[in-house]
DNA sequence: AAGCCGGGGTT
DNA sequence: AACCCAGGCTT
């Protein structure tokens, strides 16, 4: 067990970095320039929590309307814990990364039962809640409870890369650990929440990815990258793999004024969301594509249909996938009992289901055609 | 360590 | 078109 050496001691700040002046100047700037955001009206841990989950990999301006709506529908931990999962998913529709919504509700139920409805303020306890990782734990603990914990997100990684002229690959988990150690040494007494938010605010407004606005930066004097003129070369980040193409045949099966929809599995991509039935195929002729689709409808749902005409093509890109969807208008012919994860619904009923954006595009087309 | 998991804004 | 966003979970 002697193989692991303690690395924390190697994460020391440069001698020329003036911690006190930096914290003072950054906080002064934050006090004057911070944005007026809906989750900053108080320090209710639940409100902070919901905001931090929504803000994971999601821009502030995107989150705002979702946050307002979500807090109206689920104003407390208990309200969220007691809500039907489908309602939570619907409130999350379009926001992406839907496991965030499921984990948030699961964790709310945990907080209600295990912690009496009070979001825990201990690092060990809050870190066990679903959907709360190192960043979110630090954010809630510092912002809501003023605990001196780091909250290192993409903004903070970028700011520290430039500030301390770090050339570590910020895509690697080890780099986040390193930055957490550094931030921990810089958090000012009694202002952990504001300090963490100030670092993120700086990254969002001034120390932006492409062309940092160094001339208006409140901590210009402390920035080692700017001193060397290499601020635009940082941070270093490994390239992501391009999305993998997936070819899909999609069926809009009409039966009177209703269409066939099915619910996706509880796990995996777009878990639990509703969609038009579709099958993956690399077939390259229209007849084979159509037959593959009709065979799928028959075997998967026990419904017989015929293809009337091609309706539209939809392309949709995810982080790791690129969907090429060919949508066919079909007429229902015959069928038996549907499985429990499939239903014929009216266009009005569709609006109460949570749909991926790719399938919302099809709904819009159907509405415009009728 | 690498892959999976959405959708949209910026440059 | 490429990059990135107040990341976390699974393998």
């Amino acid at each position: 067990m002697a193989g692991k050496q303690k690395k924390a001691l190697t994460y020391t700040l440069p001698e020329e970095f003036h911690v006190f002046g930096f914290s003072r100047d950054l906080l002064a700037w934050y006090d004057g320039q911070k944005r007026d955001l809906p989750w900053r009206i108080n320090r209710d841990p639940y409100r902070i929590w919901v905001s931090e989950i929504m803000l994971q990999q999601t821009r502030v301006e995107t989150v705002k309307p979702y946050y307002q709506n979500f807090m109206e529908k689920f104003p407390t931990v208990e309200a969220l814990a007691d809500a039907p999962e489908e309602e939570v998913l619907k409130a999350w529709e379009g926001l992406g990364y839907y496991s965030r919504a499921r984990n948030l509700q699961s964790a709310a139920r945990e907080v209600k039962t295990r912690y009496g409805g009070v979001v825990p303020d201990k690092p060990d306890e809050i870190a066990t809640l679903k959907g709360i990782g190192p960043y979110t734990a630090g954010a809630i603990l510092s912002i809501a409870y003023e605990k001196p914990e780091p909250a290192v997100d993409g903004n903070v990684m970028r700011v520290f890369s430039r500030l301390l002229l770090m050339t570590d690959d910020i895509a690697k988990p080890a780099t986040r650990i390193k930055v957490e150690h550094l931030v921990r040494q810089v958090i000012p007494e009694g202002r952990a929440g504001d300090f963490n938010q100030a670092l993120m605010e700086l990254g969002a407004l001034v120390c932006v990815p492409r062309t940092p606005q160094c001339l208006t930066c409140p901590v210009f004097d402390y920035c080692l990258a700017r001193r060397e003129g290499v601020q635009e070369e940082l941070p270093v980040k490994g390239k992501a793999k391009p999305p993998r193409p997936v070819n899909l045949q999609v069926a809009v099966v009409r039966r009177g004024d209703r269409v066939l929809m099915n619910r996706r599995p509880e796990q995996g991509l777009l878990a639990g969301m509703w969609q038009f039935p579709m099958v993956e195929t690399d077939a390259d002729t229209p007849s084979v594509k159509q037959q593959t689709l009709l065979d799928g409808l028959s075997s998967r749902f026990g419904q017989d249909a015929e293809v009337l005409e091609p309706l539209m093509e939809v392309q949709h890109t995810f982080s790791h996938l690129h969907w090429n969807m060919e949508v066919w208008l079909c007429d229902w012919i015959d069928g038996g009992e549907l499985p429990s994860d499939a239903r014929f619904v009216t266009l009005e009923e569709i609006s109460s289901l949570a749909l991926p954006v790719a399938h919302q595009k099809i709904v819009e087309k159907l509405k415009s055609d009728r």
Side-chain angles (χ1 to χ4, degrees), chain A residues 19-219:
Chain A
V19 173
F20 178 77
F22 170 77
S23 302
R24 176 200 57 205
D25 292 351
L26 179 63
L27 279 172
W29 170 81
Y30 179 72
D31 289 338
Q33 300 293 323
K34 68 179 177 184
R35 289 169 291 180
D36 191 12
L37 301 174
W39 43 90
R40 286 181 175 163
I41 62 174
N42 61 35
R43 294 196 168 197
D44 175 3
Y46 173 68
R47 291 180 59 88
I48 304 297
W49 178 17
V50 171
S51 76
E52 292 301 341
I53 300 298
M54 284 193 174
L55 286 163
Q56 288 171 4
Q57 295 293 289
T58 311
R59 288 184 154 70
V60 165
E61 292 306 316
T62 303
V63 166
K64 278 183 181 175
Y66 283 93
Y67 182 78
Q68 302 280 21
N69 177 58
F70 197 93
M71 295 311 298
E72 284 178 22
K73 281 195 168 68
F74 317 109
T76 63
V77 170
E78 183 159 53
L80 179 58
D82 294 343
E85 187 198 271
E86 299 245 13
E87 279 187 26
V88 179
L89 206 52
K90 182 64 184 175
W92 212 270
E93 180 188 70
L95 201 48
Y97 287 130
Y98 299 95
S99 65
R100 291 185 297 175
R102 300 163 151 277
N103 288 336
L104 176 59
Q105 187 181 31
S106 171
R109 290 172 172 165
E110 177 83 1
V111 169
K112 178 187 174 184
T113 59
R114 181 185 287 268
Y115 300 104
V118 180
V119 180
D121 65 351
K122 295 182 175 59
D124 291 348
E125 291 178 348
I126 201 167
T128 66
L129 296 174
K130 284 186 181 176
I132 298 187
Y135 162 75
T136 306
I140 297 173
L141 290 169
S142 63
I143 298 170
Y145 293 119
E146 207 53 68
K147 304 284 184 184
E149 295 288 327
V152 177
D153 71 337
N155 287 307
V156 179
M157 300 270 276
R158 183 172 59 255
V159 167
F160 265 70
S161 292
R162 289 169 175 161
L163 199 62
L164 304 183
L165 195 39
M166 293 172 52
T167 55
D168 307 65
D169 184 348
I170 65 167
K172 297 187 179 304
T175 306
R176 195 205 75 236
I177 304 289
K178 179 173 179 176
V179 173
E180 283 173 353
H181 279 107
L182 295 169
V183 170
R184 203 178 279 279
Q185 302 171 42
V186 184
I187 297 174
E189 180 72 26
R191 295 205 64 183
D194 282 345
F195 182 74
N196 282 335
Q197 292 187 85
L199 283 175
M200 294 188 273
E201 199 86 341
L202 186 71
L205 301 180
V206 178
C207 197
V208 294
R210 299 293 210 288
T211 52
Q213 308 297 303
C214 297
L215 295 183
T216 64
C217 181
V219 289

